[in-house]
Amino acid sequence: MTEAQASHTEAVVDTANYRSIWMFLKDLEFRQGFVDITVNGAAVRTRYAEAGRPDKPHAIFLHGTGGHWETFAPNLAALSEHFHCVAIDMVGNGFSGKPDYDYEIPIYVEHVLGVLDHFGMPSASFVAMSLGAFVASAVTVGHPDRVDKVILMSPAGREASASNMARIREERTKAVNEPTWESLHAVFAHLIADEGNRLPDLIGLRQAVYRREDTRKTIDRLLILQDETARHRNLIPDDKWRSIKAPVMIVASGKDHGVYQDTARTIADLIPNSEVFEMASVRHWPHFEDPEAFNAAAVEFLTR
């Protein structure tokens, strides 16, 4: 390597404080695998990561739109000390199967319940963000016997903001049609506040997802919840939020988009047994941006 090449490498990579997804997982005993889960009458090949002994209380981790389980890489080690943890790529997302039908909330709920059944979880706590928080809330409303406690981050499911839906559709469609590093980086600029937390291998993983042929073919299926009519028929009405009996911790991300901050505050007022955990300096992925603070709060809440 020439001196010029070495200088360039050091400018791109902080070699003194190297960070990557694998650095979060290096000491963790876990396994990644694929399992078939029946959804809408047919098997969906479902990617998952599992950590923690199966005899511990169970916890399910649900990502956001277009995501994958690695968003929870900074959290699995801490939480698997106390829980049997399973993080999945939800149907139509990540590296899981992408069947040719719209992915509305009942489809996601069916998928998640199938995952619970497969892993022998009569009930579980949910750690969920954005779309995953929408799904976890729907499971909690429709199947309260399957839910112990819930952590909601960047929560969705009560609003249908036209501007936010248009932004998401435009960003994700562009990234799938032009899966360049720059277009994927632009997506993460809206998810993670601090540039230093937009890890290259995180962007690379999302680029790999968006380069897949099945992702390109089903992107409109994935983005159906950004359609106003579809969104409205999937929203959880206020009386259903009020019916939630499970303890709920809602993360308030101080740099998140306004619609998510508003939803967090509103549902905290609606859910009887809820509390708010403030994280002022993070955006849409609080658990990834500040895992030390999030993990401590999550463990305290879930084991209380």
Side-chain angles (χ1 to χ4, degrees):
M1 180 183 293
T2 68
E3 183 176 347
Q5 289 172 326
S7 176
H8 176 70
T9 299
E10 291 177 1
V12 173
V13 178
D14 182 356
T15 55
N17 301 287
Y18 180 73
R19 299 172 66 220
S20 73
I21 288 174
W22 187 250
M23 297 302 283
F24 291 122
L25 302 170
K26 64 185 183 301
D27 296 322
L28 174 65
E29 183 176 350
F30 79 104
R31 64 172 177 149
Q32 176 179 275
F34 288 84
V35 62
D36 285 340
I37 303 295
T38 300
V39 183
N40 204 28
V44 172
R45 188 171 187 257
T46 301
R47 179 174 179 256
Y48 70 89
E50 182 182 20
R53 295 200 318 268
D55 61 345
K56 293 181 178 181
H58 306 296
I60 290 285
F61 296 71
L62 304 179
H63 58 75
T65 300
H68 37 81
W69 74 255
E70 282 87 353
T71 181
F72 297 107
N75 318 117
L76 289 176
L79 271 72
S80 65
E81 292 181 13
H82 307 272
F83 295 92
H84 171 220
C85 299
V86 174
I88 65 170
D89 293 6
M90 291 192 292
V91 56
N93 290 258
F95 298 93
S96 285
K98 299 173 178 62
D100 190 21
Y101 48 73
D102 291 341
Y103 313 132
E104 298 194 35
I105 294 303
I107 290 293
Y108 289 120
V109 168
E110 184 181 358
H111 186 222
V112 170
L113 293 175
V115 170
L116 289 176
D117 292 342
H118 175 83
F119 285 97
M121 300 179 173
S123 64
S125 291
F126 283 72
V127 181
M129 57 158 297
S130 199
L131 170 63
F134 195 165
V135 175
S137 299
V139 174
T140 305
V141 166
H143 305 272
D145 57 317
R146 307 302 300 268
V147 180
D148 298 325
K149 294 185 177 183
V150 187
I151 297 177
L152 302 177
M153 300 173 282
S154 305
R158 187 183 176 275
E159 48 67 36
S161 166
S163 60
N164 194 55
M165 291 188 294
R167 176 188 63 80
I168 294 172
R169 180 176 289 278
E170 181 180 1
E171 282 179 1
R172 304 309 168 87
T173 302
K174 178 179 174 59
V176 168
N177 291 335
E178 303 171 21
T180 65
W181 197 267
E182 291 73 22
S183 66
L184 271 298
H185 189 276
V187 170
F188 278 94
H190 287 283
L191 302 177
I192 296 175
D194 184 351
E195 171 68 32
N197 287 322
R198 300 169 197 159
L199 304 185
D201 55 350
L202 187 64
I203 297 173
L205 271 169
R206 188 64 68 96
Q207 185 180 49
V209 171
Y210 284 11
R211 282 175 168 171
R212 290 171 60 102
E213 181 66 23
D214 58 359
T215 301
R216 289 194 295 272
K217 286 182 176 179
T218 58
I219 186 60
D220 288 333
R221 303 294 200 186
L222 176 64
L223 295 176
I224 186 64
L225 292 174
Q226 311 314 320
D227 173 82
E228 186 173 5
T229 300
R231 183 78 165 204
H232 275 287
R233 67 173 170 259
N234 284 274
L235 292 180
I236 300 171
D238 285 358
D239 64 315
K240 296 298 185 183
W241 291 105
R242 292 190 187 98
S243 74
I244 291 175
K245 299 294 194 297
V248 179
M249 184 177 92
I250 299 162
V251 177
S253 300
K255 294 185 177 181
D256 204 357
H257 300 281
V259 64
Y260 298 105
Q261 295 193 51
D262 292 345
T263 299
R265 303 292 180 184
T266 301
I267 65 173
D269 289 338
L270 292 171
I271 299 171
N273 192 9
S274 68
E275 60 191 74
V276 176
F277 179 60
E278 303 281 353
M279 297 185 70
S281 62
V282 299
R283 190 162 289 164
H284 203 62
W285 284 24
H287 60 298
F288 195 94
E289 285 205 74
D290 190 354
E292 291 79 11
F294 174 82
N295 290 343
V299 168
E300 191 282 326
F301 170 74
L302 293 174
T303 60
R304 188 186 307 159

